[in-house]
Amino acid sequence: MKFLFKLLVGLLIFVGLILFLFYKDAKMPIDDYNEVGAPTNMTEMISEQVDEFLDDSSKPLHIGFKQSNANNLIRNTLVDQMNGNTTDFAYVLNDSMYGFQGVWTKFEADKVFIESGVHLFVGPITYKTRIMLAFNITEDDGVIVLKLDKFNIGKLPLAWISGPASSLYKAISGQDISKLVNDSLGNIGTFDMKKRTLTVDLRDFIDAQIDDPQQKATLEAVLNIVYDNELIDIKAVDKSLGVDLNLNKLSDTTPVARLANADRITSDEEFQLFFESKMPGAFASLLVSDELVINFNELDTNKLIDYLLTQGDLTKTSLITTPIVEGYEVVVETPHIVLSGDKLLISLPLLITTDDLSKQFKSVIKIETTLDIDGKDLKINFTSIDMGEISIDSADVHALLSGANVELMTQSGFVIKDFTDNFNQEGMTIKDIEVQSSTLKFTVETSADLSVVRDVIEEGLQDIVDNITDPDVKNLAEDILAQLDDPVALEEAINEFSGLLTNPNTDPAVIDQVLDLLNGALDGIDLYDLLP
């Protein structure tokens, strides 16, 4: 009997001690909940931060949480999940038996605290307990890793036996700590009680938060560039935690030339005329070459690429326009080509923009290339890619453009399928392609005897001088004839002649007259009959 009495007393003392050690009132951050203008959801919060970045894009884009923002977002998440109280900040959920105060956080310079409070109602008595987790902030490859430092239930420190302590708390309160924390975080991060870590990775957040495939692919591509180039810094200060994305290092405000609508090809008929207008210059090239060469200057090349990308749709000026958050978009505009020496350089403007055009982040993806004809396809191979202060690889560009369903994009560059069909329709077969002297040159195969053309081309040019009234065409034909003994100057004059005939301001009737005069010099042989 004495043994049973002692056992009962011991149990009562033990239970009383546990209740005493587990008792602690939790101080809720009521001031955070009452903050006027605090964002009520993740979209609103990120929108504010993107807007601040666009106000001054020389600084990093900060994606993070003020303590007040985080606590409002956590509470709203719990209220939505539990169908809880929307106005009474005392409890997220309560009934006659208990009151769940919710989950909240506190940020310090090197620590993050997560706290939760529960009240149990037993008659006139309210028993109060809380859990408190304290994390040290570390960083691993751009991922915020919070390592558990303290785990208290009530007054009792239990970090050293966090597993059993978590089970004990579940037995008392009916709540699993890992599930409680993860439900509170939503898609912000992941808590693992076994590893005693809480991780926050923006890439995981994007993957979980966004459903639209194009939007997800674009944002993941931008983030991969940031992570791969270590452009991310963890920022933990008093009452604020987040990351700085150093997009400012990708900034490039260099103006990129754009094709005027008047210069763009808008139909198959214009495209055919574009090629026909190249023929006089192509045959004039026989004065300096043993092969038939069609020369495209920089304007011609941009017109060609623009038409192949847009099919003449003047409203299409971008490859990608995708939202990153409500009211803000990432835009990758159509490329501009620069011919420099023996290089073809591609500039792809990238913008983060909003309706207020005074607020824009500007960058330019600058690509050096080589060119190959592979069967009927034109391959534009990337040899180097720069974006602002850093170099990126073709996989990054491929990932960025994959969101736009750009079929011509490969892991190593662009492939324009069936490119040579555009020439075949005009009776031409492309043998080779190269950039030389800032000119894109297509060497055309033909089984015809080109010496026939070469012998009479001077006569045809003289006919143009004698009969064409257009002063620009007339003068350039005279320049070609005047430079016959200077191969370098002669080639420059031929290229100018070819460029003029493809200029949209040149009267199509003049182009037809030029072709007629050259055909006349060939004594009735049509120029196109010389092509295979």
Side-chain angles (χ1 to χ4, degrees), residues 286 289-290 448-457 522 530:
L286 292 171
S289 172
D290 292 332
D449 182 3
L450 294 178
S451 63
V452 175
V453 181
R454 192 176 295 111
D455 290 342
V456 298
I457 197 69
L522 287 167
L530 297 175

Side-chain angles (χ1 to χ4, degrees), residues 453-514:
V453 181
R454 192 176 295 111
D455 290 342
V456 298
I457 197 69
E458 291 184 39
E459 178 186 342
L461 287 167
Q462 188 59 56
D463 287 343
I464 291 171
V465 171
D466 294 339
N467 294 282
I468 294 292
T469 57
D470 185 292
D472 294 327
V473 174
K474 182 185 185 77
N475 291 338
L476 282 176
E478 288 178 339
D479 287 345
I480 294 173
L481 293 172
Q483 305 296 342
L484 292 176
D485 295 328
D486 185 342
V488 175
L490 177 59
E491 186 169 6
E492 290 179 357
I494 291 171
N495 289 340
E496 286 188 46
F497 182 65
S498 176
L500 177 64
L501 294 180
T502 56
N503 190 308
N505 294 322
T506 301
D507 188 347
V510 172
I511 298 172
D512 289 340
Q513 189 179 3
V514 168

Side-chain angles (χ1 to χ4, degrees), residues 228-275:
D228 291 346
N229 292 278
E230 300 180 351
L231 301 180
I232 184 167
D233 295 319
I234 307 300
K235 290 291 183 182
V237 296
D238 188 33
K239 294 191 175 183
S240 178
L241 173 68
V243 295
D244 277 356
L245 306 181
N246 295 303
L247 298 182
N248 49 316
K249 293 186 178 179
L250 303 177
S251 176
D252 187 342
T253 57
T254 305
V256 176
R258 311 300 302 164
L259 269 182
N261 280 347
D263 291 331
R264 298 174 71 183
I265 300 170
T266 60
S267 65
D268 288 341
E269 291 75 15
E270 287 185 18
F271 194 59
Q272 181 177 356
L273 180 62
F274 173 73
F275 273 98

Side-chain angles (χ1 to χ4, degrees), residues 12-55:
L12 288 173
I13 292 172
F14 176 75
V15 171
L17 180 61
I18 291 296
L19 291 174
F20 171 74
L21 291 174
F22 276 21
Y23 184 89
K24 188 171 180 65
D25 192 12
K27 184 179 180 182
M28 297 180 68
I30 298 298
D31 289 343
D32 288 348
Y33 299 146
N34 288 327
E35 182 176 316
V36 177
T40 58
N41 57 62
M42 184 70 71
T43 298
E44 186 179 341
M45 187 192 74
I46 295 178
S47 292
E48 284 188 4
Q49 293 166 346
V50 172
D51 195 66
E52 290 174 3
F53 168 68
L54 295 184
D55 278 334

Side-chain angles (χ1 to χ4, degrees), residues 351-467:
L351 308 173
I352 300 176
T353 186
T354 183
D355 291 339
D356 183 354
L357 296 182
S358 66
K359 292 184 175 184
Q360 286 188 336
F361 168 78
K362 296 182 179 182
S363 183
V364 183
I365 304 172
K366 296 178 178 178
I367 308 169
E368 288 193 11
T369 70
T370 59
L371 303 174
D372 293 307
I373 293 292
D374 183 11
K376 296 166 61 175
D377 302 336
L378 171 62
K379 285 188 172 182
I380 304 176
N381 307 301
F382 298 168
T383 58
S384 70
I385 310 170
D386 293 318
M387 192 174 180
E389 299 175 19
I390 68 169
S391 296
I392 61 177
D393 60 39
S394 58
D396 293 322
V397 180
H398 180 267
L400 187 63
L401 295 184
S402 65
N405 297 317
V406 179
E407 296 180 358
L408 56 82
M409 186 69 205
T410 70
Q411 289 287 350
S412 59
F414 291 124
V415 173
I416 302 179
K417 294 289 187 182
D418 302 322
F419 175 77
T420 61
D421 285 351
N422 297 291
F423 292 81
N424 294 341
Q425 292 172 8
E426 306 303 331
M428 296 176 278
T429 301
I430 301 302
K431 176 182 177 182
D432 192 20
I433 181 174
E434 65 177 336
V435 179
Q436 189 181 87
S437 302
S438 300
T439 302
L440 183 61
K441 295 177 174 290
F442 294 91
T443 302
V444 180
E445 283 187 345
T446 177
S447 57
D449 182 3
L450 294 178
S451 63
V452 175
V453 181
R454 192 176 295 111
D455 290 342
V456 298
I457 197 69
E458 291 184 39
E459 178 186 342
L461 287 167
Q462 188 59 56
D463 287 343
I464 291 171
V465 171
D466 294 339
N467 294 282

Side-chain angles (χ1 to χ4, degrees), residues 241-351:
L241 173 68
V243 295
D244 277 356
L245 306 181
N246 295 303
L247 298 182
N248 49 316
K249 293 186 178 179
L250 303 177
S251 176
D252 187 342
T253 57
T254 305
V256 176
R258 311 300 302 164
L259 269 182
N261 280 347
D263 291 331
R264 298 174 71 183
I265 300 170
T266 60
S267 65
D268 288 341
E269 291 75 15
E270 287 185 18
F271 194 59
Q272 181 177 356
L273 180 62
F274 173 73
F275 273 98
E276 288 179 357
S277 67
K278 304 302 297 181
M279 294 312 301
F283 285 100
S285 71
L286 292 171
L287 294 172
V288 292
S289 172
D290 292 332
E291 295 181 296
L292 196 62
V293 178
I294 301 177
N295 294 316
F296 285 73
N297 61 22
E298 194 168 285
L299 176 61
D300 296 333
T301 305
N302 277 289
K303 291 170 67 171
L304 177 65
I305 297 298
D306 178 75
Y307 183 72
L308 294 175
L309 286 173
T310 68
Q311 293 299 301
D313 182 356
L314 294 182
T315 65
K316 187 174 179 61
T317 58
S318 63
L319 299 178
I320 291 177
T321 299
T322 187
I324 51 174
V325 70
E326 186 176 351
Y328 301 89
E329 297 175 329
V330 171
V331 178
V332 179
E333 296 182 339
T334 49
H336 179 74
I337 309 299
V338 174
L339 301 177
S340 178
D342 61 352
K343 298 182 183 300
L344 185 147
L345 310 175
I346 300 175
S347 292
L348 276 172
L350 182 147
L351 308 173

